[in-house]
Amino acid sequence: MNCKSLQPAAKKCVNEDCELHEKGFAKYFCNICNLFDDRPRPIFHCPYCNTCRMGLGLGIDFRHCMRCNACVSLADKDHRCIPQKLQGSCPICHDTLFNSTEPLKGLRCGHVMHLSCYNQYCRGQNYTCPLCMRCMEDMSDYFSLLDQAVRMQAMPAAYQNTICNIYCQDCEKTGECRYHFVGLKCTQCASYNTREMGRYEQLAAFPN
Ligand SMILES: [Zn+2]
Ligand SMILES: [Zn+2]
Ligand SMILES: [Zn+2]
Ligand SMILES: [Zn+2]
Ligand SMILES: [Zn+2]
Ligand SMILES: [Zn+2]
Ligand SMILES: [Zn+2]
């Protein structure tokens, strides 16, 4: 309950008789951002970003990367610097990235999205960046699983000589490969992140 005393934004109510004098208005209050937050989650103010972000704090689970001018998760061991990219918006939820209190996720390709948007996007079986279509992470483990699946499942006779023209969304080269329903593998960079551009029947056997 708010006693409606007029006062500057602060963690606690100025009125000493008010229950919010002891308790405070919210679990978290930042007197720089004038931000109140009552949600059950940790939040901290980064003086370099000059904004409040979700997390325990700098040096605990986040560090501020000076080159990116952004807070990055300490769990993100292979952080790649992403200068100037944070002026844009998240490709998933379209909110601005820099003023966001949400933790951010820098992708391999250099694009950035909210960590929560990334997790949600990955749960939908997506592994390519929605902006540039490159793999968001190192997919070599997943691709070797696909290699195994291709080896173990022979294609029906009708497809034995079907050759696909492909465009690789990782190395951006075009090439050819045998058609397989598991996936079409780029012969140049071994990625399965490819698009089929067309197919034809090879008369002689195609080299494996
Ligand atoms: Zn009050
Ligand atoms: Zn703040
Ligand atoms: Zn920061
Ligand atoms: Zn960085
Ligand atoms: Zn987002
Ligand atoms: Zn990208
Ligand atoms: Zn490739």
Side-chain angles (χ1 to χ4, degrees):
M1 274 293 279
N2 189 328
C3 70
K4 304 204 170 56
S5 299
L6 282 176
Q7 54 191 297
K11 184 165 171 58
K12 294 172 164 126
C13 184
V14 288
N15 175 1
E16 291 186 9
D17 299 325
C18 173
E19 60 167 314
L20 296 179
H21 181 70
E22 281 304 315
K23 230 178 94 199
F25 291 112
K27 280 201 195 67
Y28 176 86
F29 170 68
C30 173
N31 61 359
I32 301 161
C33 303
N34 279 338
L35 176 82
F36 294 91
D37 198 290
D38 242 339
R39 282 170 281 190
R41 57 181 197 178
I43 188 163
F44 70 97
H45 181 88
C46 173
Y48 306 103
C49 294
N50 199 31
T51 191
C52 284
R53 295 198 175 281
M54 257 167 66
L56 295 170
L58 294 181
I60 305 169
D61 57 347
F62 279 89
R63 70 184 175 86
H64 184 88
C65 174
M66 291 299 178
R67 286 181 62 197
C68 298
N69 194 25
C71 284
V72 294
S73 169
L74 287 180
D76 189 2
K77 290 275 188 320
D78 54 347
H79 167 71
R80 285 163 198 239
C81 286
I82 35 174
Q84 313 305 318
K85 288 271 169 61
L86 294 177
Q87 269 76 306
S89 55
C90 172
I92 305 293
C93 69
H94 306 292
D95 272 356
T96 59
L97 287 169
F98 188 71
N99 295 321
S100 152
T101 58
E102 301 276 329
L104 303 176
K105 171 78 184 172
L107 310 178
R108 258 180 130 206
C109 55
H111 289 120
V112 186
M113 59 175 75
H114 297 116
L115 183 60
S116 58
C117 292
Y118 170 81
N119 290 334
Q120 193 187 6
Y121 184 63
C122 290
R123 275 198 295 277
Q125 306 296 313
N126 298 299
Y127 66 87
T128 58
C129 171
L131 294 173
C132 67
M133 306 306 287
R134 292 199 196 94
C135 288
M136 297 190 294
E137 296 287 336
D138 179 6
M139 296 304 291
S140 41
D141 288 349
Y142 175 63
F143 291 158
S144 53
L145 286 179
L146 295 184
D147 282 343
Q148 276 179 36
V150 166
R151 274 198 301 275
M152 286 166 63
Q153 302 179 59
M155 287 298 287
Y159 292 107
Q160 285 299 332
N161 298 318
T162 305
I163 307 302
C164 294
N165 302 108
I166 55 170
Y167 170 74
C168 176
Q169 302 191 125
D170 278 324
C171 70
E172 300 179 333
K173 295 194 177 104
T174 53
E176 293 190 340
C177 71
R178 276 164 95 80
Y179 173 70
H180 199 289
F181 61 80
V182 165
L184 304 175
K185 183 177 183 171
C186 173
T187 51
Q188 331 229 15
C189 75
S191 170
Y192 279 90
N193 178 18
T194 56
R195 275 210 315 263
E196 182 182 333
M197 311 302 284
R199 60 174 78 171
Y200 64 93
E201 293 302 312
Q202 175 103 342
L203 296 175
F206 189 73
N208 273 303

